[in-house]
Amino acid sequence: MTTTYDGTPPAADTAAAGGARPRKRDVQGTRRLAALLLSPTLLVLALVIGYPVLAGFRESLYTRGEGLDANGFVVQGERFVGLDNYTAIFHGDRGDAFWNAFGNTTFFTVTTVVLETVIGVAMALIMQQAFRGRAFVRAGILVPWAIPTAISGLLWRWIFQADGAANAVLRHQVLWTADGFQAKIAVVVAEVWKTSPFIGLLVLAGLQMIPRDVYEAARVDGAGPVQRFWRITLPLVKPALLVAVLFRMLDVLRMFDLPAVLIGVNQRSVETLTMIAWFEASNLRYGSAAAYATILFLYIALIAYLFVKLLGADIIGEARQQAKRPRRNRPVRGKRRKVTA
């Protein structure tokens, strides 16, 4: 007996499977519900982040204070100057100060983040090991991160004094807090000491998620400690490590308090972009200060974008690529097949 089946579902199945439209409605309803639930958060972000950014950009297009116009009359209050505050940053003495601060900011970001990453990963590996007194070691490692930055700057200022502990250990007289390259080294040391535990803490959380069976299987296969680190630990802890490094980069790019307390403000060797913006604002040049802040904002946004794209942390992009892939093992409808009994 031979029966021909054309793949058309029965009436009952058709009513159940004819849910193409209900499925679309369900998806639309889910999206609307998600948008409704997220709207309070988006509103708060717009007020806390969006409005200050737009207000700062608007402020950078104006100048305040008394001045003279083209006819020699006194102009008071707010005056629209367009992009003059931005063009003035790159010319003359202000241009030299800007590029010096830009170089210092980039130097601190690169050096501190690299050192903190290496030291933080080493701290995480140590804190993960099971040994007597591990809780005490973990608490001791996290103490520097818990100290306020201003207090940390004062502590290291005492260490780097002419008669401080640093010169006593080196047995050499170095003016760490004076203007010069040694001041950069002092800021880097203090920053790495304080914030390396932050990266170590996030990496430790990633290490706790790795199953022990993976290491046991690699050990049985003959993999040594170095191979297990490069082939297992580092790839599996990469998401947590990327988040930690990104947070630290964004934090160092806006560095202000540590060099200001440790070395002092208006010191050319440690002056950063935030220091210049603060100095302009303290002298009531709000338009110029807003221009510096806007440029720093764009610089941070660019660094974050390149970091996410180049290091493969684009989670949204990966989800979109997976959604665009054709689904496999999908049943074929309308195709006739013969069933022989």
Side-chain angles (χ1 to χ4, degrees):
M1 179 179 179
T2 303
T3 303
T4 302
Y5 177 67
D6 60 354
T8 304
D13 296 339
T14 305
R21 294 181 180 177
R23 287 179 182 175
K24 292 182 179 179
R25 293 176 182 176
D26 293 342
V27 171
Q28 292 178 356
T30 304
R31 291 178 178 177
R32 292 176 181 176
L33 179 61
L36 180 62
L37 295 177
L38 291 176
S39 57
T41 303
L42 297 178
L43 179 60
V44 172
L45 291 177
L47 294 176
V48 176
I49 299 177
Y51 176 74
V53 171
L54 296 178
F57 177 73
R58 179 195 174 278
E59 186 70 27
S60 66
L61 303 178
Y62 289 82
T63 183
R64 294 184 180 183
E66 296 184 354
L68 299 178
D69 58 8
N71 298 323
F73 293 99
V74 177
V75 178
Q76 296 182 353
E78 196 175 59
R79 181 166 54 93
F80 180 77
V81 294
L83 299 178
D84 290 349
N85 289 325
Y86 292 95
T87 57
I89 292 177
F90 302 98
H91 295 86
D93 295 337
R94 296 181 63 182
D96 296 338
F98 169 78
W99 290 115
N100 174 70
F102 182 84
N104 291 337
T105 303
T106 306
F107 172 78
F108 289 141
T109 301
V110 174
T111 54
T112 57
V113 170
V114 170
L115 293 175
E116 288 167 8
T117 301
V118 176
I119 298 175
V121 171
M123 288 180 176
L125 294 175
I126 293 174
M127 290 187 291
Q128 187 193 20
Q129 301 299 322
F131 56 89
R132 183 175 298 179
R134 182 177 61 175
F136 178 77
V137 173
R138 288 184 176 182
I141 289 177
L142 296 178
V143 165
W145 183 52
I147 297 177
T149 305
I151 303 302
S152 177
L154 291 175
L155 292 175
W156 282 100
R157 185 178 179 87
W158 174 75
I159 293 174
F160 285 122
Q161 286 181 351
D163 56 348
N167 288 338
V169 172
L170 296 176
R171 296 182 180 180
H172 186 71
Q173 192 72 13
V174 180
L175 300 178
W176 298 100
T177 57
D179 195 11
F181 185 77
Q182 67 276 7
K184 287 188 174 71
I185 302 300
V187 172
V188 169
V189 171
E191 181 70 11
V192 170
W193 174 82
K194 174 175 172 50
T195 54
S196 292
F198 173 77
I199 294 183
L201 182 63
L202 293 185
V203 174
L204 177 62
L207 291 175
Q208 299 294 331
M209 302 300 294
I210 302 177
R212 298 292 93 190
D213 299 341
V214 179
Y215 289 104
E216 293 178 1
R219 193 177 293 108
V220 170
D221 292 338
V226 178
Q227 291 179 335
R228 293 197 299 268
F229 174 78
W230 288 106
R231 299 294 181 87
I232 298 176
T233 303
L234 198 58
L236 294 180
V237 84
K238 179 183 176 182
L241 182 60
L242 290 180
V243 172
V245 172
L246 179 60
F247 282 1
R248 284 302 308 141
M249 289 177 60
L250 300 182
D251 195 21
V252 180
L253 285 171
R254 54 185 180 85
M255 179 188 291
F256 173 82
D257 44 1
L258 182 63
V261 175
L262 179 58
I263 307 299
V265 295
N266 298 330
Q267 298 292 332
R268 184 176 176 83
S269 59
V270 297
E271 192 174 38
T272 61
L273 292 176
T274 53
M275 286 185 175
I276 295 183
W278 171 84
F279 179 77
E280 294 292 320
S282 63
N283 286 275
L284 305 181
R285 294 190 289 267
Y286 299 112
S288 178
Y292 280 111
T294 302
I295 293 177
L296 178 59
F297 171 77
L298 296 177
Y299 183 43
I300 293 175
L302 177 62
I303 292 298
Y305 176 80
L306 294 177
F307 180 85
V308 170
K309 285 297 183 182
L310 295 179
L311 294 183
D314 188 8
I315 301 176
I316 298 178
E318 293 177 358
R320 289 176 179 174
Q321 291 178 2
Q322 292 179 358
K324 292 180 179 179
R325 293 174 182 173
R327 297 181 181 178
R328 298 181 178 178
N329 301 327
R330 180 179 296 177
V332 180
R333 296 182 179 178
K335 184 177 180 181
R336 294 179 178 271
R337 60 182 178 178
K338 293 183 179 181
V339 180
T340 303

